[in-house]
Amino acid sequence: MKRAALGVLFLAALAAAFFFRLTSLDLRPMHHDEANQAVKFGALLERGEYRYDKTDHHGPALYYLTLPAAKAAGRAKLADLDEMLLRTVPAVFGGALLLLLLFFGRSLADEARALAALFLAVSPAMTYYSRFYIQEMCFAFFVLGFLVSLWRYLVRPDGEGSLFAGVFAGLMAATKETAVIVFAAAALGVAAVLTRERLIAPKSDTPIRRRFFARHFIILLIVAAAVAAAFFSSFGSHPAGIKDAADALKIYVEKGSAAPGFHGHPFFYYLGILAGSASGGLVWTELLVLLLGAAGMVFVFLPHRRSFLDEIPDPLPVDRSLGLFLVVYTLAATLAFSLLGYKTPWNMIPFYLGWLILAGIGGITLFRMMKTLPLRAAVLLVLAAGLGHLAGQSRLACVRYPADPRNPYVYAQTSPDFLKLVGRVEALAAVHPEGRNLLVKVVAEPYEQWPLPWYLREYKTVGYWTEAEAAGNLGAADLVIASAERAEDVENALGRPSIVEHYGLRPGVLLTLFIPPGLWEAFMKSRG
């Protein structure tokens, strides 16, 4: 295929990536993790305050990267924010991932680059989690930037390569604690390449240089530490955040190995999601990516020529050292993330990046191996059908079933029924003399309180407690919201009759709304 046509194909992939990521971003209710990030960002936006919490949450990069978008949109307060604005930030990073493929240069053939870009563009996992206001897609962008920078340094060891690798490494560390897993997997990939260069590859086989400099590694470490420290210290206003970030590593290691309760999943959890599932008449699978990725891994290790490929040059569309680097990184990261007992589905994104790129390599290698036009046409037809199927699944996941438990990418997702509770509170506030200044008390476990702080962000007098006794005089509240576990205690503490309504928060989790009879009567009269 001509280079111009491949360029058009790459641009089409880029357009598809942003289309799937940026359209209808407000269809799904805010996940409790998103709401938590949004409220933390609101504090930074309103007061310029950020303090890293080493016991929970993640790094500050997402919040600081959201600031320019909020300022450009003229937003100055938490109450001014909305889902569309916040989710646009990770969505843009998710789409921009494709551009980083260009920096592999001649080491990755244009055909493989274009196919990998198409897989990245339409993968349901990549599109769905790009639409979440969480750290994952910013982290994925920095991970791929780090891998590209490392490769470019291997090809041409100089200060520029180590500088960019350090910047991306620092951004990774300032985004998620799981950066340490990526660093280890990438280090294994570099070690594998250097071993190949020393023991196996002839000098003319690859552009890798054999001379490296300690000063470049030192530059990488200094730049990475400086970038991470700038973010964790809130750019100098909170130096203690640097120590907290170091202490957090131990906490997250313990958290990851303990596999507590709901987030504890077996070894094959991630690969099981990708391989496929069926529920309620819906079938989901990204098995094509896994199969082509596995094929790409095998092809990297095959000799340059095989007896059944007589007179055909090496079909591999990637420099073999780069292929080895990607294979080792992908396998090591997949193994490490799978071994951790604590799992959430979006944590698979850093290693799934490798599978998607290798799938592009595997698909083009298969195409090149076919010696006749009909066979090549058959490969193209399978690839086109597979990409179309992935795109269709992305539409289902992101647009038609974004909060449906039958969607395998949905995880502890806020139910659309919860929005009815928010709507009821809004309707009751509209007939209350104080409007949104009415007194609302929430009594629930921390996990059941979210995403209420986001949806009630415009209400000035809302309090949150975990026990009914700690909430004081509940009877004085205009509205009380309780989790199912605290509903009986709240009812006993109210000391007055109430209109009681129940709403789904998440699958299997209910919230109870207690409404005073007088406010209920005013509401009913307003409806005529």
Side-chain angles (χ1 to χ4, degrees):
M1 189 178 293
K2 292 183 178 181
R3 191 179 183 90
L6 290 170
V8 171
L9 197 61
F10 187 89
L11 290 175
L14 197 62
F18 284 111
F19 173 78
F20 279 117
R21 287 157 175 78
L22 289 172
T23 55
S24 304
L25 282 173
D26 57 349
L27 285 178
R28 176 177 49 80
M30 287 285 271
H31 190 279
H32 63 274
D33 280 351
E34 292 183 282
N36 196 292
Q37 310 301 336
V39 171
K40 289 177 75 68
F41 170 67
L44 176 62
L45 178 66
E46 291 182 351
R47 303 185 294 277
E49 295 178 1
Y50 171 78
R51 296 293 182 267
Y52 176 65
D53 181 358
K54 66 181 181 181
T55 62
D56 204 354
H57 313 298
H58 295 296
L62 175 64
Y63 314 126
Y64 284 102
L65 292 170
T66 308
L67 268 178
K71 297 291 187 182
R75 314 297 172 85
K77 299 183 297 181
L78 173 64
D80 298 335
L81 300 173
D82 56 51
E83 293 90 337
M84 292 282 287
L85 173 66
L86 294 174
R87 288 169 174 168
T88 294
V89 175
V92 168
F93 275 93
L97 269 171
L98 279 65
L99 296 173
L100 292 174
L101 295 175
L102 299 174
F103 293 94
F104 280 121
R106 295 181 180 179
S107 299
L108 185 63
D110 290 340
E111 303 98 302
R113 193 189 335 271
L115 184 56
L118 286 167
F119 280 127
L120 282 165
V122 301
S123 158
M126 299 300 293
T127 58
Y128 189 76
Y129 296 125
S130 290
R131 299 163 63 88
F132 268 62
Y133 186 64
I134 56 176
Q135 285 81 2
E136 214 58 48
M137 277 304 145
C138 296
F139 185 61
F141 182 87
F142 301 144
V143 167
L144 188 52
F146 178 65
L147 297 178
V148 169
S149 298
L150 282 181
W151 172 251
R152 291 178 69 85
Y153 178 81
L154 289 174
V155 173
R156 183 182 178 183
D158 57 18
E160 181 181 338
S162 61
L163 174 65
F164 279 107
V167 170
F168 280 114
L171 289 169
M172 285 167 55
T175 304
K176 285 200 73 175
E177 296 73 13
T178 48
V180 295
I181 297 176
V182 175
F183 293 148
L188 289 174
V190 170
V193 170
L194 296 181
T195 301
R196 177 181 186 272
E197 288 301 304
R198 182 175 294 275
L199 301 179
I200 301 174
K203 291 184 178 181
S204 61
D205 179 58
T206 176
I208 298 297
R209 306 293 190 266
R210 287 168 174 72
R211 191 177 182 188
F212 300 95
F213 302 96
R215 67 176 182 271
H216 293 154
F217 183 64
I218 294 173
I219 290 173
L220 189 157
L221 292 179
I222 291 174
V223 172
V227 171
F231 279 97
F232 281 114
S233 68
S234 300
F235 292 90
S237 65
H238 182 59
I242 299 173
K243 181 180 181 299
D244 290 341
D247 294 341
L249 289 177
K250 179 182 178 182
I251 295 172
Y252 274 85
V253 167
E254 294 173 350
K255 184 178 179 180
S257 59
F262 183 79
H263 299 296
H265 297 287
F267 178 85
F268 288 105
Y269 174 72
Y270 295 127
L271 294 177
I273 292 174
L274 296 169
S277 63
S279 178
L282 298 175
V283 179
W284 310 81
T285 180
E286 297 193 46
L287 185 60
L288 176 65
V289 173
L290 295 181
L291 292 176
L292 288 177
M297 293 180 184
V298 172
F299 293 145
V300 166
F301 291 101
L302 286 179
H304 285 215
R305 295 172 183 269
R306 306 291 289 175
S307 59
F308 58 85
L309 293 175
D310 293 341
E311 306 303 326
I312 296 180
D314 184 6
L316 198 65
V318 65
D319 181 277
R320 287 185 178 270
S321 288
L322 173 56
L324 178 63
F325 175 64
L326 292 172
V327 168
V328 173
Y329 164 77
T330 301
L331 289 177
T334 302
L335 179 62
F337 278 99
S338 297
L339 284 172
L340 287 176
Y342 185 98
K343 295 181 176 70
T344 54
W346 44 82
N347 278 337
M348 67 184 171
I349 297 301
F351 71 77
Y352 193 43
L353 281 173
W355 285 96
L356 289 158
I357 297 172
L358 287 165
I361 294 170
I364 296 303
T365 304
L366 283 172
F367 175 79
R368 289 183 175 184
M369 288 170 61
M370 301 298 106
K371 295 194 288 185
T372 65
L373 184 60
L375 288 176
R376 288 194 165 193
V379 171
L380 288 178
L381 183 62
V382 170
L383 291 175
L387 288 166
H389 181 246
L390 290 172
Q393 289 183 93
S394 282
R395 181 178 178 276
L396 293 177
C398 298
V399 179
R400 292 196 61 186
Y401 305 104
D404 194 310
R406 293 177 295 174
N407 178 346
Y409 307 101
V410 166
Y411 186 77
Q413 171 60 44
T414 304
S415 169
D417 191 51
F418 172 80
L419 297 182
K420 297 178 182 178
L421 167 61
V422 176
R424 179 68 86 201
V425 172
E426 189 72 14
L428 292 167
V431 300
H432 192 279
E434 298 295 327
R436 287 179 175 171
N437 290 324
L438 81 171
L439 178 59
V440 181
K441 292 193 174 186
V442 180
V443 182
E445 299 77 0
Y447 184 64
E448 274 75 37
Q449 292 178 4
W450 293 92
L452 275 169
W454 164 256
Y455 283 100
L456 301 183
R457 63 191 182 279
E458 296 185 57
Y459 290 73
K460 305 301 182 183
T461 51
V462 182
Y464 298 86
W465 295 268
T466 58
E467 301 290 342
E469 295 81 2
N473 182 10
L474 288 175
D478 296 303
L479 292 175
V480 179
I481 301 171
S483 63
E485 289 77 8
R486 299 289 183 266
E488 185 176 352
D489 293 340
V490 166
E491 189 169 18
N492 294 333
L494 275 170
R496 58 167 169 77
S498 299
I499 306 301
V500 178
E501 295 182 333
H502 303 282
Y503 297 91
L505 173 61
R506 287 182 287 274
V509 181
L510 291 176
L511 292 178
T512 302
L513 175 64
F514 295 89
I515 309 169
L519 182 57
W520 179 258
E521 290 175 8
F523 168 67
M524 295 303 293
K525 286 181 180 178
S526 70
R527 300 178 64 185

